């Protein structure tokens, strides 16, 4: 994980010490250093800074007051000579509170906490992305993988060694068996109704004898599939009416 950080401290020696410590970590980049917190606002507003090493006694604005003023909140590690602000800083949910002079061993603990926190945040973001991403399959079509939303699929037709997937966006031909693709689809949403057809249950417009209308196509229901297929389709339609 690559970590971007800034240092806000008006003591040149303190900045030098923190920078020298951070040089030991190849995945951490010091984007910039500032003596005045107000000067750091523009870079923080970009929203891509992961962490700030922040002194408390600063020109024009106290470091904790500066944290309170931010719209974007990177992980904050306080670096100060004053012990008495520790409780107040933790109420602002700072990641760590380092009292100068700072030893490398103590600094290392902060970096480990920072890395663990950022990894946790990243995992949560990925989980949200996965949850929010519409259900889909990838099919190899003309030497490229095409993403097809399950909600767009009308029906799938077997063509010997190929399948033709008919969707709201068009049709796609892929070298795959109907059995294989049917096993990948959720059984509550798709059903095989013929040795050559699997359909999306909620896309059925009508049933007439042993034919179902899906999109603009009338598809036969195979004799061996008829009883189960009709029961599933009719059950789905009755659920929609409730």
């Amino acid at each position: 994980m690559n970590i971007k950080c800034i240092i806000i401290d008006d003591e040149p020696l303190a900045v030098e010490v923190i920078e020298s410590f951070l040089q030991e970590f190849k995945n951490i980049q010091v984007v910039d250093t500032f003596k005045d917190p107000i000067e750091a606002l523009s870079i923080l507003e970009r929203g891509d800074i992961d962490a700030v090493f922040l002194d408390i006694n600063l020109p024009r604005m106290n470091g904790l007051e500066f944290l309170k003023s931010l719209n974007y909140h990177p992980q904050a590690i306080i670096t100060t000579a004053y012990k008495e602000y520790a409780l107040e800083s933790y109420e602002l949910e700072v990641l760590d509170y380092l009292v100068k002079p700072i030893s490398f061993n103590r600094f290392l603990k902060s970096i480990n906490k920072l890395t663990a926190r950022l990894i946790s945040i990243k995992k949560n973001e990925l989980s949200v992305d996965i949850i929010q991403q519409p259900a889909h399959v990838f099919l190899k079509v003309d030497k490229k993988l095409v993403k097809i939303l399950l909600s767009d699929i009308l029906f799938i037709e077997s063509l010997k060694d190929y399948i033709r997937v008919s969707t709201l966006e068009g049709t796609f031909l892929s070298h795959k068996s109907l059995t294989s693709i049917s096993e990948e689809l959720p059984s509550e949403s798709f059903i095989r109704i013929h040795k050559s057809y699997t359909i999306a249950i909620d896309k059925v417009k009508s049933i007439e004898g042993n034919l179902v209308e899906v999109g603009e196509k009338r598809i036969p229901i195979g004799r061996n599939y008829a009883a189960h297929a009709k029961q599933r389709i009719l059950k789905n339609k009755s659920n929609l009416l409730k």
Side-chain angles (χ1 to χ4, degrees):
M1 168 178 279
N2 293 318
I3 299 172
K4 293 182 178 181
C5 70
I6 62 172
I7 302 169
I8 306 176
D9 199 315
D10 63 341
E11 299 177 26
L13 182 59
V15 173
E16 185 178 327
V17 169
I18 295 171
E19 282 189 303
S20 67
F21 285 169
L22 290 172
Q23 286 175 3
E24 300 297 320
F25 304 94
K26 303 303 181 185
N27 64 320
I28 299 181
Q29 175 192 358
V30 179
V31 176
D32 211 338
T33 65
F34 301 90
K35 294 180 180 179
D36 187 328
I38 303 302
E39 295 174 357
L41 281 175
S42 60
I43 197 167
L44 287 173
E45 286 172 355
R46 291 183 347 202
D48 63 346
I49 299 299
D50 300 301
V52 53
F53 294 88
L54 179 66
D55 192 10
I56 289 180
N57 189 15
L58 292 166
R60 293 205 284 178
M61 180 178 276
N62 172 288
L64 298 182
E65 292 300 321
F66 175 69
L67 279 182
K68 293 176 185 177
S69 72
L70 296 178
N71 293 320
Y72 169 73
H73 291 275
Q75 300 301 313
I77 298 174
I78 300 297
T79 58
T80 179
Y82 303 96
K83 297 180 180 180
E84 59 265 30
Y85 296 101
L87 180 59
E88 183 182 354
S89 70
Y90 284 121
E91 289 176 351
L92 294 175
E93 298 183 349
V94 303
L95 182 68
D96 208 350
Y97 192 96
L98 304 181
V99 178
K100 299 173 183 176
I102 304 166
S103 70
F104 181 76
N105 286 341
R106 181 65 184 87
F107 190 83
L108 177 59
K109 289 182 179 180
S110 284
I111 297 302
N112 288 337
K113 287 176 70 174
L114 174 62
T115 302
R117 175 71 62 82
L118 293 175
I119 288 174
S120 177
I121 291 171
K122 190 67 176 177
K123 283 182 178 178
N124 288 337
E125 289 174 349
L126 288 173
S127 296
V128 170
D129 288 343
I130 291 170
I131 292 170
Q132 292 180 344
Q133 189 173 33
H136 61 275
V137 292
F138 277 98
L139 290 179
K140 193 169 186 180
V141 179
D142 294 332
K143 298 183 180 180
K144 66 180 179 180
L145 290 172
V146 177
K147 179 179 178 180
I148 297 177
L149 299 182
L150 299 191
S151 59
D152 283 350
I153 296 175
L154 298 170
F155 60 88
I156 305 168
E157 181 181 1
S158 174
L159 302 171
K160 292 187 178 180
D161 295 331
Y162 289 82
I163 55 171
R164 179 162 54 212
V165 182
S166 294
T167 77
L168 298 174
E169 301 296 323
T171 60
F172 301 89
L173 194 66
S174 180
H175 189 276
K176 198 176 184 76
S177 72
L178 184 61
T179 298
S180 176
I181 186 64
S182 296
E183 289 174 351
E184 295 177 29
L185 300 173
S187 59
E188 66 272 15
S189 303
F190 294 86
I191 186 170
R192 190 162 180 173
I193 63 168
H194 189 279
K195 65 179 182 179
S196 298
Y197 290 97
T198 289
I199 65 169
I201 299 173
D202 67 345
K203 300 298 193 300
V204 174
K205 292 181 179 179
S206 65
I207 305 174
E208 184 180 352
N210 282 334
L211 293 173
V212 292
E213 184 182 5
V214 182
E216 301 302 318
K217 188 173 179 68
R218 291 162 65 83
I219 300 172
I221 303 175
R223 182 181 304 171
N224 295 332
Y225 300 87
H228 179 62
K230 288 182 179 180
Q231 182 182 22
R232 286 284 311 283
I233 294 168
L234 291 172
K235 182 179 179 182
N236 180 76
K237 294 302 179 184
S238 62
N239 286 339
L240 291 177
L241 294 173
K242 289 181 180 178

